[in-house]
Amino acid sequence: MMSNNGNFVPKAIPWREFVNLPNLEGKTILELGNKGNKNGLYRDDYLKAGAISYHCTDLNGLDGAIFVDLRSESAAKQIKEATGIESFDIVTNFGMSEHIPVQRTFYQCVHNLGHVGSVFVHWTPRARMFQEHGYHGSIFHAEDNFFDKLIIANNYKAISPPKFAAEVNRIVTCVLQKQEDTPFVWEPGFRELFWYNKLWESSPDAELFKEYIQKQDWFTPIP
């Protein structure tokens, strides 16, 4: 299967994720979560595939990641100030959103970091599936209709409509494009479109980040 990036073969980014990316040539990229594996950092693949700039965020602060709490209403503003970039051509969520206690601020951040034409790539666990991911800090898994409703609410173009992937369809993935420079819309019922993975409470992250999330309402953002 040919990707949008021609014959380029990534070293670190799994092919199942790489084929969801738009053409990277000349693009600015923001990766939510500094992704990497035994084969290297996703960053290196993005740049080798033609991206002109790369930034990432993560509370671990590794590999040059911007330290920002994505529960914050001001997360996008903090990222803009840290990078000096007002908006990015591509924002990726490859397995990051499920680790954030406040889902609304996460998707609001993505929206606010894009311009008209920006592409948002999402890849996240489905509700009641991939439960063992909770041991790695996976808190919220999306119901199958969440992205369909998000697309309608914010008039995104579905370049690649929501579909199921990876090991008996445990993941929902999609590629969306921002079509309007309008405020982010989060419908009141969206909070019910996420399943809480209780196994998260046994993860190392629960202890590591307890000062950030202890006694918090899961859907209440911080300043």
Side-chain angles (χ1 to χ4, degrees), residues 64-105:
I66 300 165
F67 187 91
V68 58
D69 192 332
L70 294 174
R71 293 177 304 153
S72 175
E73 295 281 15
S74 64
K77 180 180 179 182
Q78 294 176 52
I79 293 169
K80 292 177 182 182
E81 291 175 347
T83 62
I85 298 176
E86 185 64 23
S87 64
F88 296 83
D89 297 319
I90 301 172
V91 181
T92 69
N93 164 33
F94 280 131
M96 183 62 178
S97 57
E98 68 268 23
H99 300 280
I100 306 302
V102 186
Q103 293 293 290
R104 180 180 63 80
T105 56

Side-chain angles (χ1 to χ4, degrees), residues 15 37 45 48 52 56 78 89 91 101 106 123 126 141 153-154 156 159 162 170 177 179 195 209-210 212:
W15 187 255
N37 52 37
D45 284 339
K48 288 178 181 177
I52 58 172
C56 66
Q78 294 176 52
D89 297 319
V91 181
F106 178 88
W123 193 95
R126 295 170 65 192
H141 295 197
N154 291 280
Y156 294 146
I159 296 176
R170 298 187 299 175
Q177 186 172 49
Q179 298 190 104
W195 172 78
F209 297 132
K210 68 180 181 180
Y212 295 102

Side-chain angles (χ1 to χ4, degrees), residues 21-31 50-55 85-92 110-121 159 175-178:
L21 293 172
N23 190 289
L24 302 178
E25 190 70 35
K27 300 297 193 300
T28 56
I29 293 183
L30 176 70
E31 184 173 59
I52 58 172
S53 76
Y54 166 90
H55 293 85
I85 298 176
E86 185 64 23
S87 64
F88 296 83
D89 297 319
I90 301 172
V91 181
T92 69
V110 172
H111 182 89
N112 290 344
L113 286 167
H115 50 75
V116 173
S118 289
V119 172
F120 306 142
V121 184
I159 296 176
V175 180
L176 311 179
Q177 186 172 49
K178 188 174 181 179

Side-chain angles (χ1 to χ4, degrees), residues 111-212:
H111 182 89
N112 290 344
L113 286 167
H115 50 75
V116 173
S118 289
V119 172
F120 306 142
V121 184
H122 295 293
W123 193 95
T124 192
R126 295 170 65 192
R128 292 166 293 280
M129 301 189 76
F130 202 1
Q131 296 187 26
E132 67 273 23
H133 193 40
Y135 289 124
H136 301 280
S138 181
I139 305 170
F140 282 113
H141 295 197
E143 295 285 356
D144 290 348
N145 61 346
F146 166 67
F147 285 107
D148 292 317
K149 291 182 178 295
L150 185 71
I151 289 168
I152 293 171
N154 291 280
N155 193 30
Y156 294 146
K157 177 182 178 180
I159 296 176
S160 176
K163 59 184 178 181
F164 308 135
E167 301 173 41
V168 296
N169 297 328
R170 298 187 299 175
I171 301 298
V172 57
T173 181
C174 59
V175 180
L176 311 179
Q177 186 172 49
K178 188 174 181 179
Q179 298 190 104
E180 300 176 347
D181 186 16
T182 52
F184 178 66
V185 175
W186 182 266
E187 301 289 357
F190 281 6
R191 64 178 293 165
E192 278 73 51
L193 298 179
F194 294 91
W195 172 78
Y196 175 62
N197 189 349
K198 289 185 178 181
L199 287 182
W200 170 81
E201 297 170 7
S202 300
S203 76
D205 284 350
E207 178 66 23
L208 181 63
F209 297 132
K210 68 180 181 180
E211 63 180 294
Y212 295 102

